[in-house]
């Protein structure tokens, strides 16, 4: 099985963790497609100073890949796996690389919105992680809602579809919740890290010719970003009680 790891964030932390989980699970990617951050993503970065974001976002879209590789060198993959660099997951350059390499499956993380053309070209071959049970928990803030509503927390690996969180389910697993989180962010980080560890299990399922992913029912269940009022209630419920 030929796999590609498409990553749109620095190859540290979560990105490096996913690569390690894939490798440890026997599915070392055959190549990495590294997608440089867009100007929009830089503008939305929470920790960069405002002036830095404005300057960087103003020029990054015009910089050639060779220059971006120098600027982002500390964040690039330092592995033996071949790495290809693009400025947009949906660009012609990206499509040419993926067409040429023709992986059986693409594991994607933080690459931005995947366009319809790419989804069509690799129909039912693009895997993404979702920290929530589908279809009940589509959308965002799913981890927080599961804790808030005392619902079971699930990690799900799905095949990308044009509709949000509506793709076929390859693998899902009930995740153990944290009993004494220090803050709300910790419950999100824990849930996503456990979900990322499911990628090899999903690929193992797909390697079985008898396996068929589960289609989701066409129901409207989208969750929305949790309002600060409810976040405060959740904090009192799961953090301050400790």
């Amino acid at each position: 099985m030929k796999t590609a790891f498409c990553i749109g964030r620095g190859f540290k932390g979560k990105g490096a963790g996913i690569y390690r989980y894939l490798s440890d699970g026997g599915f070392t990617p055959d190549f990495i497609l590294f997608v440089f951050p867009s100007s929009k993503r830089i503008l939305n970065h929470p920790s960069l100073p405002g002036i830095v974001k404005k300057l960087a976002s103003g020029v990054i879209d015009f910089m050639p890949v060779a220059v971006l590789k120098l600027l982002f060198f500390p964040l690039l993959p330092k592995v033996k796996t071949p790495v290809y660099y693009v400025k947009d997951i949906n660009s012609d350059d990206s499509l040419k690389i993926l067409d040429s390499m023709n992986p059986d499956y693409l594991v994607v993380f933080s690459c931005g919105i995947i366009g319809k053309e790419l989804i069509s070209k690799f129909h039912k071959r693009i895997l993404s992680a979702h920290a929530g049970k589908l279809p009940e928990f589509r959308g965002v803030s799913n981890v927080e809602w599961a804790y808030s509503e005392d619902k079971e927390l699930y990690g799900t690996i799905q095949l990308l579809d044009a509709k949000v969180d509506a793709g076929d389910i390859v693998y899902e697993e009930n995740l153990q919740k944290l009993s004494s989180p220090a803050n709300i962010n910790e419950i999100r980080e824990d849930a996503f890290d456990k979900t990322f560890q499911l990628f090899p299990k999903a690929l193992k399922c797909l390697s079985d010719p008898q396996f068929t992913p589960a289609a989701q029912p066409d129901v409207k269940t989208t969750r929305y970003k949790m309002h600060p009022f409810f976040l405060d209630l959740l904090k009192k419920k799961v953090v301050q009680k400790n």
Side-chain angles (χ1 to χ4, degrees):
M1 178 185 290
K2 189 175 185 179
T3 60
F5 180 29
C6 305
I7 176 172
R9 185 179 294 189
F11 202 78
K12 290 185 176 181
K14 295 183 179 67
I18 294 172
Y19 180 87
R20 184 175 68 254
Y21 297 143
L22 288 168
S23 298
D24 291 347
F27 294 96
T28 301
D30 290 87
F31 68 96
I32 296 171
L33 186 71
F34 188 93
V35 184
F36 287 104
S38 65
S39 57
K40 182 178 180 180
R41 171 160 289 188
I42 290 177
L43 283 173
N44 291 331
H45 198 287
S47 60
L48 289 176
I51 186 64
V52 173
K53 291 195 286 189
K54 288 183 179 179
L55 289 173
S57 64
V59 298
I60 193 168
D61 287 342
F62 302 99
M63 287 184 178
V65 168
V67 175
L68 292 175
K69 288 172 67 175
L70 293 175
L71 291 176
F72 288 90
F73 182 77
L75 303 178
L76 302 186
K78 309 297 190 301
V79 294
K80 294 181 180 180
T81 301
V83 184
Y84 299 90
Y85 299 92
V86 296
K87 296 174 68 174
D88 186 337
I89 187 67
N90 301 302
S91 67
D92 289 339
D93 289 339
S94 175
L95 292 172
K96 287 178 182 177
I97 292 169
L98 294 173
D99 273 341
S100 174
M101 299 299 292
N102 193 29
D104 295 298
Y105 292 100
L106 285 67
V107 173
V108 298
F109 169 66
S110 195
C111 292
I113 297 175
I114 309 298
K116 292 182 179 180
E117 183 177 0
L118 183 54
I119 292 177
S120 177
K121 278 182 174 290
F122 290 88
H123 184 55
K124 296 186 183 296
R125 295 162 64 188
I126 305 176
L127 292 169
S128 70
H130 181 78
K133 186 172 180 60
L134 295 173
E136 182 179 359
F137 286 90
R138 289 175 177 154
V140 294
S141 297
N142 297 295
V143 176
E144 291 89 337
W145 287 117
Y147 271 83
S148 177
E149 298 175 6
D150 292 321
K151 297 288 184 65
E152 291 184 323
L153 179 64
Y154 275 78
T156 306
I157 304 299
Q158 62 170 329
L159 296 170
L160 274 188
D161 186 84
K163 295 181 180 179
V164 176
D165 298 331
D168 292 355
I169 297 169
V170 179
Y171 187 85
E172 67 175 10
E173 188 170 300
N174 193 326
L175 306 179
Q176 183 174 355
K177 291 181 178 178
L178 291 178
S179 59
S180 302
N183 50 59
I184 299 299
N185 187 59
E186 186 175 339
I187 68 175
R188 284 188 61 81
E189 294 295 313
D190 174 73
F192 276 96
D193 184 62
K194 289 174 179 174
T195 301
F196 294 147
Q197 295 180 46
L198 305 181
F199 274 124
K201 295 182 179 181
L203 288 169
K204 185 175 181 180
C205 289
L206 291 168
S207 67
D208 181 356
Q210 304 301 318
F211 174 77
T212 301
Q216 293 192 55
D218 187 15
V219 293
K220 294 182 178 180
T221 56
T222 301
R223 303 292 175 119
Y224 296 94
K225 186 174 182 179
M226 184 173 276
H227 188 278
F229 173 79
F230 293 106
L231 279 174
D232 187 57
L233 292 179
L234 179 61
K235 181 179 178 181
K236 292 176 181 178
K237 178 178 182 179
V238 303
V239 178
Q240 294 183 359
K241 72 176 184 179
N242 302 315

